[in-house]
Amino acid sequence: MGNINIVLGVIGFDCHSVGNKILEHFFTEKGYSVHNLGVMVSQEEFINAAIETAAPIIMVSSLYGHGEIDCAGLREKCIEKGLEDILLYVGGNLVVGKTPLEQVESKFRKMGYDRVFGPDADLEAVDSILRVDLKEKGFSL
Amino acid sequence: MKDRVISLDTGSTWTKGALWSLDGGKPELKSYFRTPTTTANLADGALSVASHLCSVSREDYIKNHTGIPVFWTSSAKGGLAIAVVGLVPDLSVELGRLAAWGSGGRITKVWPWVLTNQHMDEIIASKPDIILLTGGTDGGHEKNVIHNARIIGESTYDASVIYAGNSYIASEVEKLLETKRCTVVPNLMPDLGTINEVPCQLAIRQEFLDNIVEGRGLLQLVDVFGRKPLPTPSAMLNLVTTINEKCPDFGDFTLIDMGGATTDVYSICPAQSDDSVILRGITEPLIKRSVEGDLGMRVSARSLWEVIVKSMKSATGLPSLEQLKEWTEHVLENTELLPVTHTEGDLDRILAVSALWHSVARHSGRIEQVWTSNGKVGVQRGKDLRKIAKVVLTGGWLARFSNKNFWSQAREIFGCFENDKEILIPEKPDVFTDAEYLWPLFAPLVGEIPMVEQAALKALIKR
Ligand code: B12
C-alpha cells in the first residue's frame, strides 16, 4: 500500500511539533507514504505538496488555538487548484478553551473538512476511518 | 609531449587560451593569448589562439598537430539553452531551474502546471536545445505530467527532451515522446522537496556533447583538437566542485563570474547555517549555480540600470542616475569599451558593484521573522550564505578593477533587507580576485591533469 501518499503538517504559525512527529511515525508504520511538512505550514504549501505527490488526503494539525482562522479557506483553495476530491482531515486543539467536540466538528465540517478530531483522538480509529474514506474514493488498499 | 597542455575557451566576447607546463606536477602558466571571438566561425579565433600559443602558423598548426593536448570549452550561442516544464512553481519547477543552471544551462522559458499548444509555441520560439520535463514525486502526480509530455510529443519541436519527473510513469512518457530525442533519467524530486540533480545534470551534459556541438566551426575544432568541448559553465562547475572536494581548508565560498551579458553565481555551502530557523520549501543543493541574464556590464547594461534605479537605498557619494544612464547607453553601443577617465571608472564600478550585489542577492535565500504567540521565529526560504567567509570574483571586469571595498559599498547602496525579509547574502566575506582571469582556463583542465584546484587557488589575490 506504499503508494498512498499522505501530506501532513501543522498549519499557520503553530510550532507544536511533538504530535506531528507521532502522526508521521504512526501512519508510516501503517504503510502509507507520509510527506511531513513539519510545523508552520501555509495553506499553499499543503496544496503544492498534495499536487506533486498526488496525495488523496491532507492531514492538518492545529494545536495553539488559532485553528479556526488558519484552517478557513483551505477547501476553497484546493478546489481552485483542481483538488476538489481530496480528503481533508483536521485535528488537535482546534479552538481556544473547552468547546464541546460536536460544536467544533460542525464548525470545521462547514469549512469543508471531511473529518475532525480532538486532542484525544485514537489513532487506530482514525486509520480505520481513513481506510473506509479512501475506499469510497476508489483507492484499493 | 604530455608535459605541456593548452586550455582554451571560446564563445564569449574573447576567445582566450593558455599554455601550461606540467614540470612541477602543478600546471604552471607559460603563455596566455586572447583574441576577439569570431562569432561567424569560432574556429578562426580559436585556431589563431592555439597556433599563437604554440608559436607556429595556423596552417602548420592545422596540418601538423603539435602533439600538445588541447582541453577546451565553448559558450557558443550564449550556452546551453534549456526550457523547463514542471508542475508546482515552488517545487518541481524550481528544482528544474536549479538543475538546468547547475548543469551549465541558460533558461529560455519556464512553464508550470499545464501546457497548452500556445505555451508550447512560445517554448519552441524561445529556441531551447533541451526541454527539461519534470513534475510529480515518485508515485505522485501523473495527470498533468502525462498531458505535458503529450503536448510536447505532438508539437513540431525537434530538439531533445530530458524527462526527470515521476519515475512511475517514465515508460508512458517515453512513449508519448517517441518521435523526439528523449532521455529518461531518475526523478529530480523523488521525494517531496528533496533534489536528486546529478543524473539529470549528467544527461544534460551528455546531450551537449552528443548533439549540440555543431555549426559555426565547432566541428572543425573538434577535428583539429581531437576532443569535444565542455560547456564553459559546466567546466566552471567542475572546478568549483573539485576545490570543494580536494581543498577543504579553503572552506565554503561563493564565486561570481561577471560578463558583459550575464552574471553567474556559484555557492558552495549547506542550505542552512542556523538550526534555530525553520526551513520552508525545497532544500537547495550544496553546490548551486544561478545565472542572471539581465545583469551584465555591457550587453545587459540597460536592464542592469533599471534594476539599480528600482533598488537603490543610499546614493551618497555616487554619480547621478542620469550620468549612469548615459554611460550605460554608451557602453551598450560599444560593448568592448573600457573606462578611460576617472569618472568613467567610477560609473563602471557602480555597474559592477550593482550586478555583483543583485546576482548574489537573487541567488541567496531570505529569512522572515514571524511573531508567534511564543515569540519570534525565523522562517527561511532558499539558501543561507551568511556564514560564507570567502567570495571569489572572476570575469574580465572583476578581474581587473575590483577592490576590497566592493562588498561594503554594495551593502551600503542596496542594504540587506527586502521589505521585512533579511537577504541571506555573505555577511563579512574576504574578497579574493582571479586577477589574471585564469579560472576559465583552469576549468577545462579539471579531471585531465593533477592539482588544477591548488593552482587555481594560488592564482587568487586577496583584496
Ligand atoms: C509542549 C507545549 C508547548 C511547547 C511546544 C514545543 C514543541 N516543540 O512542540 C511550547 C512551549 C513551545 C508551547 C508554546 C505555546 N503553547 Co503550548 N503546549 C504544549 C503542551 C504542554 C504539550 C503539547 C504536546 O506536545 N502534546 C503531546 C502531543 C503528542 O499531543 P498533541 O500535540 O495534542 O497531538 C496529538 C493530538 O492532538 C492528535 N492530533 C493532532 N493533530 C492532529 C491531526 C489529525 C488529522 C488527527 C487525526 C489527530 C491529530 O494526535 C496527536 C498525536 O497523538 C500543550 C498542553 C497539552 N498537554 O497538550 C500546550 C498547549 C498546546 N499550548 C498552548 C498554547 C496556548 C501555547 C502558546 C500559544 C502560548 C504559550 N504561552 O504557551 C504557545 C504557542 C507557540 C506557537 N507559535 O505554536 C495551549 C493551546 C490552547 C488552545 N488550543 O486552546 C495548550 C493546550 C496548553 C493549554 N492548556 O493552554 N507549547
mmCIF file of all heavy atoms in Angstrom, chain B residues 393-409:
data_model
loop_
_atom_site.group_PDB
_atom_site.id
_atom_site.type_symbol
_atom_site.label_atom_id
_atom_site.label_comp_id
_atom_site.label_asym_id
_atom_site.label_seq_id
_atom_site.Cartn_x
_atom_site.Cartn_y
_atom_site.Cartn_z
ATOM 1 N N LEU B 393 35.983 36.491 -7.065
ATOM 2 C CA LEU B 393 35.468 37.254 -8.198
ATOM 3 C C LEU B 393 36.250 36.921 -9.459
ATOM 4 O O LEU B 393 37.475 36.960 -9.460
ATOM 5 C CB LEU B 393 35.582 38.752 -7.923
ATOM 6 C CG LEU B 393 34.965 39.257 -6.615
ATOM 7 C CD1 LEU B 393 35.184 40.769 -6.487
ATOM 8 C CD2 LEU B 393 33.490 38.931 -6.547
ATOM 9 N N THR B 394 35.541 36.599 -10.525
ATOM 10 C CA THR B 394 36.214 36.391 -11.801
ATOM 11 C C THR B 394 35.380 37.003 -12.923
ATOM 12 O O THR B 394 34.300 37.545 -12.689
ATOM 13 C CB THR B 394 36.516 34.900 -12.063
ATOM 14 O OG1 THR B 394 37.301 34.801 -13.255
ATOM 15 C CG2 THR B 394 35.238 34.098 -12.249
ATOM 16 N N GLY B 395 35.889 36.920 -14.143
ATOM 17 C CA GLY B 395 35.261 37.629 -15.261
ATOM 18 C C GLY B 395 36.154 38.820 -15.578
ATOM 19 O O GLY B 395 36.806 39.363 -14.671
ATOM 20 N N GLY B 396 36.196 39.220 -16.840
ATOM 21 C CA GLY B 396 37.133 40.242 -17.285
ATOM 22 C C GLY B 396 37.131 41.480 -16.418
ATOM 23 O O GLY B 396 38.166 41.949 -15.952
ATOM 24 N N TRP B 397 35.947 41.988 -16.140
ATOM 25 C CA TRP B 397 35.872 43.252 -15.434
ATOM 26 C C TRP B 397 36.303 43.118 -13.977
ATOM 27 O O TRP B 397 37.138 43.854 -13.477
ATOM 28 C CB TRP B 397 34.447 43.813 -15.519
ATOM 29 C CG TRP B 397 34.475 45.296 -15.361
ATOM 30 C CD1 TRP B 397 34.457 46.223 -16.340
ATOM 31 C CD2 TRP B 397 34.590 45.998 -14.127
ATOM 32 N NE1 TRP B 397 34.556 47.473 -15.801
ATOM 33 C CE2 TRP B 397 34.644 47.364 -14.441
ATOM 34 C CE3 TRP B 397 34.671 45.618 -12.783
ATOM 35 C CZ2 TRP B 397 34.757 48.356 -13.475
ATOM 36 C CZ3 TRP B 397 34.784 46.592 -11.820
ATOM 37 C CH2 TRP B 397 34.826 47.944 -12.167
ATOM 38 N N LEU B 398 35.737 42.155 -13.296
ATOM 39 C CA LEU B 398 36.049 41.985 -11.872
ATOM 40 C C LEU B 398 37.521 41.660 -11.676
ATOM 41 O O LEU B 398 38.148 42.071 -10.711
ATOM 42 C CB LEU B 398 35.173 40.897 -11.265
ATOM 43 C CG LEU B 398 33.692 41.247 -11.100
ATOM 44 C CD1 LEU B 398 32.926 40.058 -10.537
ATOM 45 C CD2 LEU B 398 33.517 42.455 -10.194
ATOM 46 N N ALA B 399 38.093 40.883 -12.633
ATOM 47 C CA ALA B 399 39.499 40.529 -12.521
ATOM 48 C C ALA B 399 40.354 41.786 -12.512
ATOM 49 O O ALA B 399 41.319 41.901 -11.765
ATOM 50 C CB ALA B 399 39.894 39.626 -13.683
ATOM 51 N N ARG B 400 39.968 42.742 -13.319
ATOM 52 C CA ARG B 400 40.820 43.911 -13.471
ATOM 53 C C ARG B 400 40.571 45.012 -12.450
ATOM 54 O O ARG B 400 41.483 45.623 -11.951
ATOM 55 C CB ARG B 400 40.647 44.470 -14.881
ATOM 56 C CG ARG B 400 41.971 44.875 -15.476
ATOM 57 C CD ARG B 400 41.873 45.101 -16.968
ATOM 58 N NE ARG B 400 41.127 44.045 -17.639
ATOM 59 C CZ ARG B 400 40.490 44.244 -18.790
ATOM 60 N NH1 ARG B 400 40.474 45.425 -19.352
ATOM 61 N NH2 ARG B 400 39.864 43.249 -19.365
ATOM 62 N N PHE B 401 39.303 45.285 -12.151
ATOM 63 C CA PHE B 401 39.028 46.529 -11.450
ATOM 64 C C PHE B 401 38.488 46.404 -10.021
ATOM 65 O O PHE B 401 38.275 47.398 -9.361
ATOM 66 C CB PHE B 401 38.024 47.368 -12.244
ATOM 67 C CG PHE B 401 38.532 47.756 -13.595
ATOM 68 C CD1 PHE B 401 37.998 47.187 -14.735
ATOM 69 C CD2 PHE B 401 39.554 48.686 -13.732
ATOM 70 C CE1 PHE B 401 38.466 47.539 -15.991
ATOM 71 C CE2 PHE B 401 40.023 49.034 -14.976
ATOM 72 C CZ PHE B 401 39.482 48.465 -16.119
ATOM 73 N N SER B 402 38.192 45.202 -9.559
ATOM 74 C CA SER B 402 37.555 45.125 -8.242
ATOM 75 C C SER B 402 38.529 45.554 -7.153
ATOM 76 O O SER B 402 39.730 45.436 -7.293
ATOM 77 C CB SER B 402 37.080 43.704 -7.986
ATOM 78 O OG SER B 402 38.189 42.850 -7.912
ATOM 79 N N ASN B 403 37.977 46.072 -6.077
ATOM 80 C CA ASN B 403 38.823 46.413 -4.941
ATOM 81 C C ASN B 403 38.170 45.925 -3.666
ATOM 82 O O ASN B 403 37.072 45.382 -3.683
ATOM 83 C CB ASN B 403 39.089 47.917 -4.893
ATOM 84 C CG ASN B 403 37.807 48.704 -4.707
ATOM 85 O OD1 ASN B 403 36.948 48.319 -3.908
ATOM 86 N ND2 ASN B 403 37.658 49.782 -5.442
ATOM 87 N N LYS B 404 38.844 46.130 -2.542
ATOM 88 C CA LYS B 404 38.359 45.471 -1.334
ATOM 89 C C LYS B 404 37.114 46.135 -0.742
ATOM 90 O O LYS B 404 36.452 45.550 0.109
ATOM 91 C CB LYS B 404 39.482 45.358 -0.302
ATOM 92 C CG LYS B 404 39.834 46.615 0.466
ATOM 93 C CD LYS B 404 40.748 46.196 1.628
ATOM 94 C CE LYS B 404 40.894 47.276 2.665
ATOM 95 N NZ LYS B 404 41.768 48.369 2.313
ATOM 96 N N ASN B 405 36.799 47.331 -1.217
ATOM 97 C CA ASN B 405 35.608 47.997 -0.687
ATOM 98 C C ASN B 405 34.322 47.578 -1.385
ATOM 99 O O ASN B 405 33.243 48.024 -1.024
ATOM 100 C CB ASN B 405 35.752 49.514 -0.830
ATOM 101 C CG ASN B 405 36.917 50.007 -0.033
ATOM 102 O OD1 ASN B 405 37.199 49.471 1.045
ATOM 103 N ND2 ASN B 405 37.617 50.991 -0.559
ATOM 104 N N PHE B 406 34.485 46.752 -2.405
ATOM 105 C CA PHE B 406 33.358 46.339 -3.219
ATOM 106 C C PHE B 406 32.160 45.896 -2.403
ATOM 107 O O PHE B 406 31.038 46.325 -2.606
ATOM 108 C CB PHE B 406 33.804 45.170 -4.087
ATOM 109 C CG PHE B 406 33.781 45.509 -5.531
ATOM 110 C CD1 PHE B 406 34.440 46.631 -5.988
ATOM 111 C CD2 PHE B 406 33.105 44.716 -6.429
ATOM 112 C CE1 PHE B 406 34.413 46.947 -7.319
ATOM 113 C CE2 PHE B 406 33.071 45.021 -7.764
ATOM 114 C CZ PHE B 406 33.727 46.136 -8.210
ATOM 115 N N TRP B 407 32.418 44.996 -1.473
ATOM 116 C CA TRP B 407 31.339 44.355 -0.746
ATOM 117 C C TRP B 407 30.626 45.351 0.151
ATOM 118 O O TRP B 407 29.398 45.424 0.172
ATOM 119 C CB TRP B 407 31.896 43.175 0.044
ATOM 120 C CG TRP B 407 30.860 42.145 0.294
ATOM 121 C CD1 TRP B 407 30.229 41.908 1.469
ATOM 122 C CD2 TRP B 407 30.304 41.254 -0.664
ATOM 123 N NE1 TRP B 407 29.313 40.907 1.308
ATOM 124 C CE2 TRP B 407 29.335 40.481 0.011
ATOM 125 C CE3 TRP B 407 30.526 41.015 -2.017
ATOM 126 C CZ2 TRP B 407 28.601 39.498 -0.627
ATOM 127 C CZ3 TRP B 407 29.790 40.040 -2.641
ATOM 128 C CH2 TRP B 407 28.843 39.294 -1.954
ATOM 129 N N SER B 408 31.432 46.140 0.890
ATOM 130 C CA SER B 408 30.820 47.080 1.830
ATOM 131 C C SER B 408 30.082 48.184 1.077
ATOM 132 O O SER B 408 29.023 48.647 1.505
ATOM 133 C CB SER B 408 31.870 47.661 2.771
ATOM 134 O OG SER B 408 32.966 48.107 2.034
ATOM 135 N N GLN B 409 30.626 48.575 -0.048
ATOM 136 C CA GLN B 409 29.956 49.611 -0.837
ATOM 137 C C GLN B 409 28.590 49.119 -1.330
ATOM 138 O O GLN B 409 27.584 49.819 -1.222
ATOM 139 C CB GLN B 409 30.820 50.006 -2.036
ATOM 140 C CG GLN B 409 30.309 51.262 -2.719
ATOM 141 C CD GLN B 409 31.196 51.675 -3.896
ATOM 142 O OE1 GLN B 409 32.074 50.935 -4.315
ATOM 143 N NE2 GLN B 409 30.953 52.865 -4.414
#
